[in-house]
Amino acid sequence: MMKGSSGSEFKMPVHYPRYTKREYQDMPEWMVDRLLAEYGLPAIGDLSQKRHFAMGAFLWPNANTSTLPIHHKNL
């Protein structure tokens, strides 16, 4: 952040969180708060709202399936 600026900004740590949907659903509030703070994201609302926000921010639909495009070396 530049000197003299105010507010918050998204922070991209070296590692992207790799929690499963189930882990987010079971995650205690302090851990959700810490995770969101680590990325400079707001921790607003009740625990259910925070979990929903974290899952929306960090879970990618179908990321563990083979629906991603395949790149061929010979193209």
Side-chain angles (χ1 to χ4, degrees), residues 17-72:
R18 293 188 173 184
Y19 296 108
T20 65
K21 182 177 182 179
R22 186 75 197 154
E23 289 172 320
Y24 281 111
Q25 291 169 335
D26 294 338
M27 195 176 281
E29 188 166 13
W30 69 265
M31 195 169 175
V32 177
D33 289 344
R34 185 187 58 133
L35 178 66
L36 294 173
E38 183 178 341
Y39 286 82
L41 298 171
I44 300 169
D46 63 17
L47 178 55
S48 175
Q49 292 168 322
K50 292 176 192 179
R51 284 179 175 158
H52 182 75
F53 182 79
M55 287 188 282
F58 299 120
L59 287 179
W60 294 23
N62 302 320
N64 295 327
T65 65
S66 59
T67 60
L68 298 175
I70 297 172
H71 297 282
H72 297 282

